[in-house]
Amino acid sequence: MRKLYGLLLLLLLSSACFAQTWEPGIFAGSSGYMGDFNEVNPFKFTDFSAGVSVKRNFNGYFSAKLGYTYGKVRGADSLSSNAQLRNRNLSFFSPINEVSLTGELNFFNYYSGISIKRWTPYIFGGVALVNYNPKAVYKGDTYVLRPLKTEGQQKEYPYNALSVPYGVGVKVNFSGSWNLGIELGYRTAFTNYLDDVSSYYPEKAGLVNVDSRILTDRSGEKTGIYIGSPGAQRGNLRRDTYMITGLTLSYTFLSQKCPVVSP
């Protein structure tokens, strides 16, 4: 009976001590993208990314994190091994600004600085808002693609889109309340215009200006033969995905001193 009372007391102390802990952190790594310029490689990371976050740890298993991440995505048909894509000859790049709210689930009972278990794998998922602005370089000049309506849209596609972040990671308590982790995450965006390529070639006569008519179909720049006939498929008609991987460094603030917790 004494052991039972002791266990209940430990659980109560743990609840009081660990129910309210805050964990700010920073992130640095790489960003990449899957879409009309990369349909098959989920590990094609091309650019630097960085971010900051603040996490609320509710217990040793579950936390919620609010984060901001900056990255960049890009693609070019000229680099493709697919002859059909090389003939299309489109390209783009875009900054990515993301604000996310995710839930994180630890596999082990993990309390930074005070638990016996000093590391844990984890999974995460949530919701995010991503800001994007696809651009292309033509003859040394950079063009913002959204206002050109390169697929004959009636109006410009939005500057922001919802996305669904999900992924896995491993973190370790390496010194005091300091945590170091490595994370791999994917974001399915509710848009097919991260890369400005979505559906079909339009009637060039109906496009907004000369720049739009040039950048909608660049297939003939080298050969003089243009393949973008109206109604022909220009994109893959699927939502785009961007991915982010890298290292996290965070510090956990405990509300008060607490006993060491077993895993």
Side-chain angles (χ1 to χ4, degrees):
M1 185 64 70
R2 288 182 178 178
K3 291 183 177 179
L4 178 59
Y5 286 150
L7 179 60
L8 291 174
L9 179 60
L10 178 60
L11 290 174
L12 288 172
L13 287 172
S14 299
S15 175
C17 293
F18 306 129
Q20 297 182 4
T21 63
W22 292 94
E23 186 179 330
I26 57 176
F27 166 87
S30 296
S31 55
Y33 132 99
M34 290 188 70
D36 296 276
F37 296 90
N38 174 32
E39 296 186 295
V40 297
N41 187 353
F43 302 107
K44 188 175 182 179
F45 295 94
T46 58
D47 291 273
F48 175 77
S49 64
V52 294
S53 65
V54 60
K55 186 188 301 182
R56 179 72 176 271
N57 298 304
F58 297 103
N59 53 49
Y61 290 98
F62 181 72
S63 60
K65 182 169 73 173
L66 178 66
Y68 164 76
T69 303
Y70 170 83
K72 193 175 180 180
V73 294
R74 67 175 67 234
D77 286 336
S78 60
L79 303 177
S80 177
S81 59
N82 185 308
Q84 183 177 358
L85 292 181
R86 290 198 304 272
N87 290 337
R88 186 178 63 174
N89 196 40
L90 295 174
S91 64
F92 91 105
F93 67 93
S94 177
I96 294 291
N97 292 277
E98 177 196 83
V99 176
S100 63
L101 180 63
T102 55
E104 191 172 288
L105 180 64
N106 297 329
F107 284 27
F108 304 144
N109 192 17
Y110 178 86
Y111 292 113
S112 178
I114 46 181
S115 64
I116 294 176
K117 183 65 70 175
R118 302 294 297 271
W119 71 283
T120 183
Y122 63 91
I123 57 176
F124 66 89
V127 63
L129 184 67
V130 58
N131 173 270
Y132 61 103
N133 190 25
K135 304 174 184 179
V137 176
Y138 175 69
K139 292 187 176 181
D141 294 324
T142 299
Y143 294 81
V144 178
L145 296 172
R146 178 184 283 107
L148 298 182
K149 303 177 185 177
T150 55
E151 293 189 349
Q153 302 96 325
Q154 293 298 309
K155 59 180 181 179
E156 297 179 13
Y157 46 81
Y159 285 84
N160 305 298
L162 291 175
S163 67
V164 178
Y166 53 91
V168 297
V170 177
K171 57 188 171 183
V172 59
N173 173 216
F174 70 93
S175 177
S177 294
W178 288 98
N179 310 281
L180 183 66
I182 184 169
E183 186 173 287
L184 172 64
Y186 293 84
R187 278 80 165 159
T188 299
F190 285 81
T191 180
N192 193 15
Y193 284 109
L194 285 183
D195 49 21
D196 192 66
V197 180
S198 176
S199 56
Y200 305 100
Y201 287 99
E203 289 278 359
K204 290 185 179 181
L207 295 177
V208 295
N209 56 34
V210 173
D211 294 336
S212 181
R213 290 190 284 274
I214 291 173
L215 294 173
T216 187
D217 179 12
R218 301 182 61 181
S219 58
E221 287 179 10
K222 294 181 179 180
T223 65
I225 301 173
Y226 288 86
I227 63 174
S229 57
Q233 190 166 331
R234 187 173 187 260
N236 62 17
L237 305 174
R238 295 195 298 269
R239 289 173 179 169
D240 295 322
T241 295
Y242 59 102
M243 53 267 196
I244 296 171
T245 188
L247 298 175
T248 62
L249 177 66
S250 64
Y251 184 89
T252 304
F253 291 94
L254 301 177
S255 57
Q256 55 184 297
K257 292 183 178 180
C258 304
V260 174
V261 177
S262 300

